[in-house]
Amino acid sequence: MEAKIANGLLVSPRIDSEKIARRIGTGGSVQFSRRFREQDRLQVLVSAQLQPKTRNSNRHKTVSLEVSCSYKNFPASLLESGGFQAPFDEARILKNKSQEIRPYLSGRCIYLVGMMGSGKTTVGKVLSQVLGYSFFDSDTLVEQDVEGTSVAEIFKLYGEGFFRDKETEVLRKLSLMHQLVVSTGGGAVVRPINWKYMQKGISVWLDVPLEDLARRIAAVGTGSRPLLHQDSGDAYTKQTLTRLSTLMEERSDAYANANARVSLEDIAAKLGHRDVSNLTPTAIAIEALEQIEGFLKEENGDFGL
């Protein structure tokens, strides 16, 4: 198995691009991002080149206009009121934030914990890419160690205890490595020994409302979820929600042991979304880095960010 394991948000006020062009006239030019060229109002980045000609000189003057606002410091009241409707450059925010905190991670691994279907694998891949880390899914590593047998089949053939033993061994080996983002199984948190290994890195809990988890899982089926497997039907989502609620009661205290918590409800509220399903993996990854930053500051004191 060892071989297998081996500037912030750029936002402008609402700016009418046609008015800008008329005001500048033929003596200058305005360059807009291609993404917003066909929109009536430009809301992200304006770069204007003013080239007025004078009687005594043919020299041109270039002026660049850039209005920026950081994701972290953007007024929450505006976002929550729905007044801010512009798409923002999430990729740039994510990159900048990762560059800020990466030196302070000191190569420590990041372990994502949370209920099944919470997006650990998807968000984990986003984080690993922007941090330049390697990504591993602990469930996948267990499957590989059992000759490609799926998690559902491992539960069926060998029982949950066998799977948990394999899972613990995977986490032990991963804990000896550096610069990894690890997506853990939903039940990895129930064994104290697993926390011993994950505490060598930084653990992040992706906290998703149970109703949204139930809808996600019901939409794709529970065949790959051995602790939820059931027949489909009209009561499918309700049954899934009931089972998820039971599992959450059993695991909530364990999830709370994580170094950082990422609440999708909080992100949705901050960005003015009514439903967490509207959140992108990048937006969730940004919040994860914000929460990791908060943990690092608390652990080591404010490091000047």
Side-chain angles (χ1 to χ4, degrees):
M1 182 188 296
E2 285 85 347
K4 296 174 182 174
I5 298 179
N7 286 334
L9 170 63
L10 288 180
V11 182
S12 77
R14 298 183 72 87
I15 299 174
D16 191 322
S17 57
E18 293 182 0
K19 287 182 179 179
I20 294 176
R22 287 199 299 270
R23 182 165 296 182
I24 292 175
T26 58
S29 65
V30 181
Q31 297 178 351
F32 299 118
S33 166
R34 182 177 181 182
R35 180 180 177 186
F36 299 96
R37 197 172 294 157
E38 297 179 0
Q39 295 186 1
D40 292 334
R41 293 183 181 275
L42 176 67
Q43 296 174 316
V44 172
L45 177 62
V46 179
S47 178
Q49 291 187 327
L50 307 180
Q51 299 177 330
K53 292 183 179 180
T54 65
R55 294 179 181 178
N56 300 324
S57 173
N58 290 326
R59 295 174 63 186
H60 294 165
K61 180 184 296 184
T62 297
V63 178
S64 293
L65 170 64
E66 183 175 299
V67 182
S68 65
C69 176
S70 72
Y71 170 82
K72 183 176 180 180
N73 296 322
F74 199 84
S77 58
L78 180 58
L79 293 172
E80 292 170 353
S81 68
F84 177 68
Q85 300 174 350
F88 50 81
D89 190 352
E90 291 180 337
R92 179 169 180 143
I93 299 167
L94 182 66
K95 180 179 179 181
N96 288 346
K97 180 55 63 177
S98 69
Q99 290 174 342
E100 286 178 7
I101 74 168
R102 194 179 191 281
Y104 302 96
L105 290 172
S106 303
R108 281 188 288 180
C109 297
I110 295 173
Y111 295 90
L112 300 181
V113 303
M115 292 286 284
M116 60 190 77
S118 59
K120 299 184 294 292
T121 296
T122 302
V123 175
K125 289 179 178 179
V126 174
L127 287 172
S128 66
Q129 182 175 11
V130 76
L131 290 170
Y133 277 24
S134 298
F135 173 81
F136 285 108
D137 183 308
S138 66
D139 281 354
T140 300
L141 292 176
V142 170
E143 290 175 339
Q144 291 174 356
D145 195 47
V146 190
E147 300 179 348
T149 308
S150 70
V151 171
E153 283 298 306
I154 292 173
F155 268 70
K156 183 178 179 180
L157 295 173
Y158 306 108
E160 182 177 357
F162 176 88
F163 172 82
R164 296 299 175 200
D165 289 341
K166 290 290 186 181
E167 181 178 59
T168 295
E169 181 62 11
V170 163
L171 292 174
R172 183 190 71 80
K173 291 177 178 178
L174 290 173
S175 72
L176 302 175
M177 304 174 71
H178 297 85
Q179 297 188 1
L180 306 179
V181 175
V182 180
S183 169
T184 67
V189 296
V190 300
R191 282 192 171 185
I193 187 64
N194 292 344
W195 282 107
K196 175 184 176 182
Y197 299 135
M198 291 191 288
Q199 283 170 356
K200 295 182 180 180
I202 298 173
S203 52
V204 180
W205 173 22
L206 298 188
D207 187 7
V208 182
L210 293 180
E211 294 81 1
D212 292 277
L213 284 179
R215 284 194 293 268
R216 290 183 190 181
I217 294 170
V220 299
T222 59
S224 63
R225 312 286 184 180
L227 296 182
L228 290 181
H229 186 54
Q230 55 194 318
D231 296 328
S232 60
D234 241 0
Y236 192 43
T237 302
K238 290 184 178 179
Q239 291 173 357
T240 300
L241 177 58
T242 299
R243 181 58 180 144
L244 284 172
S245 298
T246 300
L247 288 173
M248 189 61 181
E249 287 179 9
E250 297 171 356
R251 299 173 179 175
S252 58
D253 289 343
Y255 288 136
N257 288 326
N259 299 127
R261 173 176 170 263
V262 174
S263 167
L264 269 65
E265 281 187 317
D266 290 349
I267 304 172
K270 180 162 57 175
L271 297 180
H273 296 313
R274 294 182 179 180
D275 194 328
V276 302
S277 64
N278 294 323
L279 298 176
T280 65
T282 301
I284 299 169
I286 291 169
E287 182 68 15
L289 291 179
E290 293 277 7
Q291 296 301 322
I292 290 172
E293 179 184 54
F295 166 72
L296 291 172
K297 286 182 177 181
E298 185 177 322
E299 180 183 53
N300 301 316
D302 191 333
F303 42 74
L305 296 182

